[in-house]
Amino acid sequence: MRFFKISVCMLLSFVAAEAMAIDVGDKAPSFEATDDRDETWKSSDHVGKKILVVYFYPADMTGGCTAQACGYRDKMDSFTADGVEVVGVSGDSAKNHRVFKKAHQLNFTLLADTDGKVAKAFGVPVTLGEKTVTKIIDGTETDLLRTATAKRWTFVIGLDGKIAYKDSAVNAKQDPEKIEEVIKSLK
């Protein structure tokens, strides 16, 4: 009986978290976070000025996350020409983001959501807890500390400030191409 009660509680908490997720047509949440330059990035300075792609990813310097980020990097000229701004969000620190951007020549902003508040504002499942990954970067062993791990979700915020597209089952490698098609459909 105890197992049943615990299972029901876990299921209800999962359903409640999903119910809190924002959806297409909802107003995008207002948020701010530290960017990869250690400056405060405020959504209010960006929403409504360009179409905004906000993609959540688990961690810097990992296979799927790197493929997704490099896909956005490679399509940035097209996105910029279409009046689109791309922002990646993870629980990595601003320092980790700088390392990630340098290692892969990323040409868009990365936000440090170290407490998971931005992910939670969008309803993205996030797990809090420290995790350190050691990577060889420029021939040097580097420890990367992450304090929150978000699921891989992507949102497109239209010029009206509302969610124009949401994907909660993102394929990392295909995401930039899929978003490029979504942007074309919005024009």
Side-chain angles (χ1 to χ4, degrees), residues 29-107:
S30 181
F31 65 93
E32 62 182 60
T34 301
D35 68 16
D36 50 71
R37 297 172 301 170
D38 274 325
E39 295 178 7
T40 301
W41 191 97
K42 297 178 182 180
S43 63
S44 59
D45 294 337
H46 301 267
V47 172
K49 295 175 176 66
K50 293 183 178 184
I51 295 171
L52 184 63
V53 175
V54 180
Y55 83 91
F56 292 87
Y57 64 101
D60 292 340
M61 303 300 287
T62 59
C65 298
T66 298
Q68 185 179 24
C70 289
Y72 277 111
R73 175 201 65 204
D74 295 346
K75 293 190 175 297
M76 196 53 57
D77 287 343
S78 172
F79 285 134
T80 301
D82 284 338
V84 177
E85 180 177 1
V86 175
V87 179
V89 184
S90 83
D92 285 275
S93 67
K95 176 187 169 198
N96 288 10
H97 287 333
R98 285 190 294 278
V99 169
F100 189 39
K101 283 183 77 163
K102 180 181 177 189
H104 298 287
Q105 295 84 43
L106 302 180
N107 50 5

Side-chain angles (χ1 to χ4, degrees), residues 150-169:
K151 293 288 185 182
R152 191 181 313 279
W153 287 25
T154 301
F155 296 85
V156 176
I157 303 171
L159 290 172
D160 61 0
K162 294 182 180 179
I163 303 298
Y165 175 83
K166 170 187 170 183
D167 186 350
S168 60

